[in-house]
Amino acid sequence: MNAYEEHRTFMLTNDPRWLLTIDGFDTALEPTIEAVCALVNGYSGTRAALEEGSPVSRPAAFVAGVFNTPAQPQAPELEAPISELVVAANWSRLYIEVEGQPLRIGEVELLSQRRVLDMRQGVLLREWRVRDAVGRITSLRSLRFASLDNRHVLVQQLRLTAENYSGTIALESLVDGQVSNENHTIHLDQTAAQAIPVGQLLALQTRQSGYTLAYATHAALHGPTGDAILGTPVLAEQRVGMRWEWQAAPGHTYELHKLVACVTSRDSAQPEVQAAQLLEQLAAAGGSTLLAAHIRAWAARWATADVQIEGDAETQRQVRFALYHLIGAAHPDERASVGARALTGERYRGHVFWDTETFVWPFYLFTEPNTARALLMYRYHTLDGARAKAHALGYRGALYAWESTDTGAETTPPFITVPGLGRQQILTGVQEHHLAADIAYAVVQYRQASGDDAFFVGYGAEMLLEIARFWASRASRGNDGRYHILTVIGPDEYHDSVNDNAYTNVMAQWSLRQGVAAAAELARAHPTQWAALAAKLALSDAELHSWDEVADGLVTGFDTRTGLFEQFAGYYQLGTVDLRDHDTAEKTLDVKLGWEALQKLQALKQADVVMLLFLLWDSFSHEVCAANFRFYEPRTTHDSSLSPSFHALVAARLGDLALADMYLRKAARIDLDFTRKGWAGATGGVHIAALGGIWQALAYGFAGMRPSDVGLRFEPHIPPHWGALRLSLQWRGRQLRVVVQPSTIAITVEHGEPVALAIGKGVWRMIAAGETLSDRASATE
């Protein structure tokens, strides 16, 4: 099958639960559509901007890990330049003219348009018809994908039909390096634009960080009989590609097939050579082979990642949207992590936050452990940056950057200038320290779920020890003889400079104990490695003993009488607020009331104590979890996209299925509510942490998964209108299939060694490959 035949025969998935369909063209929604329909494969992300452009289009492509810090601040409010994810070359750029008239929305009449993101196959299909001022109608159909089989491969196809005219058509297919970030910063300079044996090569280099991005491209145009139409190579300043001019006949269709190979200096010492060689292989393989391999790769990934919900088609589609972007947000690359908007937009400059380990990372832990390991190795490789930050703030050990890029250095701006307010300090970088515990938690969870002892001995233990050392230095003994952690920001984020935030203190206490346990295990089971590491860190028995002392003496804010954690010291003395009519999409509470007024209220931005309940669930009684959820849930604004999913999770665990279902739907609409045109939505990229939270709500909440050192325990609660919840999980090298129905649960070990499983409060059972453990599940509302 050749290229033009392939495009004709490609078939979309016929199940609407796999499709995201957008009809028409709405200028207010277009930036959001570009993000939600982005083509992602973990290595690169391409916003779904119109190939030919429009007055509101914002084409942008990104390559994971490619950051740059410009010579000058990127915005007036900044005092110094900040590292940011670089907008890479626009590899799918098209320019189309009919008799000199550009076929660009805004310059011709759009008769119809439909875009469909086929999430099952990882393909974006677009169909549109336009009419120019003299009545010439052109219909077009494009197909694009970023290969999941070979993540360096990008493919674009176009069918163009002259419906009712004959005339001259000009078409340019380009890799366009004349790009800038949204703040107009130019990060890339050309280092090469040249012909290569099967196409053209464009090489670009980031101005300060020195990353090279090499693009090798091949494009061919075919007429209605399949004959090639001769074109002219384009080798311009920061642009390469092909240009064709031909005489079109009425009713005839012409097809473009374009291949792009992208290789960077992060991948190869000779990215230009590697890209050119890869392009030759792609051209020899042909488009049908590349598409088939791509679809097979997606099918394999969905086999281990899909979550199926019977009885709720819309929630099913929204869940698959979340999974599509999670799959496309990361791959096993130890030098890159997942930014707050993944590879779909520039919000937060592509920086990595605590969101990654707490919200996004668990999806990979249970569906693609190699990627989970790589994301933790990113934190190991940036450990020196964490040590430097702790030292700069006067502490010991390692405190990871609140906002991190490629080096691990803190990139949160210390000050910004706000019109009308002047110079304002940004406190998250110096006060929001729970990130250290969040990373320690991920290290422990990874070993528990993977059984990867080599990671623990070689990397994880060192991280745990340095994080514990930080917490021991961060806590201070008060006049009451107890240890306190003063002047912090907790996950809530609507209250700064508080003392003894419950989440921070309890997770610090947990981290200290994990550090002590790691040292004891290394000394017992790996004495040679322990001796070397203890010498490297200058770690003594006396210091380890002090960690126990701090952990035992830390104030947690827990009241045994009420069963409540006080979110921070003095929280109960704040004023109450009625949030029943609060609408985050309309205006967040900090905007409504102002920051100073907000500090005096019990209103929370997002889950804080509620999140603590989930992370350390088995440390608390059911009554404590229920009491704290009932207390803090009505005080939470959900002004952060991180909040609804974890409220769904905890509500499901507590058996409040109506509330859990409401919060799940709320989380699922964050990027997909296209009815609220005044809301920013996913304009700056999809909310990848919210999407990761959806998976966690389903796995940990509704399916009731509770990992432990023994094995996996399930205590499911699903809404009665769900016929079934099905998900696949990987656990210590075993592949599991979980099926939850309103009154039953069945866990099948599909392959691997026997594994310990339990249901509800039942006993542990060893289940071998091919066997199923089943029991009645809870269906209470």
Side-chain angles (χ1 to χ4, degrees), residues 236-390:
E237 181 65 25
Q238 295 195 204
R239 291 184 180 184
V240 300
M242 291 291 293
R243 177 180 174 84
W244 298 269
E245 287 193 20
W246 73 98
Q247 289 295 316
H252 284 192
T253 298
Y254 307 87
E255 302 198 6
L256 166 72
H257 184 78
K258 177 180 183 178
L259 308 173
V260 178
C262 174
V263 181
T264 78
S265 55
R266 297 182 70 256
D267 318 309
S268 168
Q270 297 179 301
E272 299 92 341
V273 173
Q274 292 294 317
Q277 291 176 347
L278 176 57
L279 183 65
E280 291 186 25
Q281 298 169 17
L282 303 181
S288 60
T289 299
L290 299 177
L291 180 60
H294 168 71
I295 292 173
R296 285 195 303 271
W298 270 102
R301 191 67 183 89
W302 280 116
T304 61
D306 191 22
V307 177
Q308 299 172 10
I309 299 173
E310 289 185 7
D312 192 334
E314 181 59 15
T315 298
Q316 174 70 87
R317 186 178 67 95
Q318 292 167 337
V319 166
R320 285 191 170 131
F321 169 80
L323 301 178
Y324 166 81
H325 278 287
L326 288 166
I327 292 170
H331 75 294
D333 179 352
E334 293 185 2
R335 299 287 179 173
S337 190
V338 181
R341 298 301 180 93
L343 296 170
T344 66
E346 297 180 59
R347 187 79 168 94
Y348 301 109
R349 304 182 191 277
H351 293 179
V352 180
F353 292 78
W354 71 298
D355 309 19
T356 302
E357 283 76 21
T358 304
F359 292 88
V360 180
W361 179 83
F363 166 77
Y364 305 111
L365 177 62
F366 288 98
T367 68
E368 195 178 35
N370 287 342
T371 295
R373 187 184 196 276
L375 291 170
L376 290 181
M377 287 302 297
Y378 163 81
R379 293 298 191 180
Y380 180 79
H381 291 312
T382 57
L383 187 55
D384 283 343
R387 290 181 174 119
K389 177 177 177 179

Side-chain angles (χ1 to χ4, degrees), residues 629-685:
F629 183 77
R630 297 304 175 201
F631 182 80
Y632 285 106
E633 185 267 336
R635 290 165 168 81
T636 306
T637 65
H638 307 292
D639 283 346
S640 166
S641 63
L642 308 180
S643 193
S645 60
F646 270 27
H647 278 77
L649 188 163
V650 175
R653 281 198 169 183
L654 293 173
D656 190 338
L657 298 183
L659 191 63
D661 186 49
M662 183 275 287
Y663 276 123
L664 180 67
R665 292 174 184 274
K666 185 180 182 75
R669 289 196 303 270
I670 287 171
D671 288 327
L672 295 177
D673 186 354
F674 300 149
T675 64
R676 314 188 78 150
K677 299 181 182 180
W679 187 37
T683 297

Side-chain angles (χ1 to χ4, degrees), residues 452-583:
D452 187 348
D453 291 340
F455 171 83
F456 170 75
V457 174
Y459 312 104
E462 183 176 354
M463 297 166 70
L464 291 174
L465 292 168
E466 287 289 68
I467 290 169
R469 173 176 272 172
F470 162 73
W471 285 119
S473 70
R474 183 65 176 84
S476 58
R477 190 192 294 269
N479 293 332
D480 58 357
R482 304 291 302 279
Y483 283 92
H484 302 265
I485 299 178
L486 308 178
T487 317
V488 298
I489 298 173
D492 161 31
E493 293 185 346
Y494 266 175
H495 301 88
D496 59 44
S497 306
V498 303
N499 298 329
D500 291 327
N501 169 256
Y503 179 95
T504 302
N505 285 27
V506 175
M507 292 303 293
Q509 181 184 66
W510 180 91
S511 299
L512 285 161
R513 289 173 175 159
Q514 292 298 322
V516 172
E521 180 178 350
L522 283 178
R524 180 185 69 253
H526 306 279
T528 301
Q529 290 91 334
W530 167 242
L533 184 57
K536 174 184 176 181
L537 301 181
L539 193 57
S540 67
D541 289 343
E543 183 176 356
L544 291 171
H545 177 74
S546 74
W547 296 357
D548 270 329
E549 179 185 339
V550 174
D552 291 343
L554 259 176
V555 169
T556 65
F558 182 68
D559 185 337
T560 56
R561 184 175 46 83
T562 63
L564 295 178
F565 283 94
E566 184 175 22
Q567 183 172 296
F568 54 81
Y571 176 82
Y572 293 149
Q573 280 68 57
L574 300 180
T576 59
V577 60
D578 186 349
L579 298 173
R580 284 175 293 183
D581 295 327
H582 176 61
D583 184 350

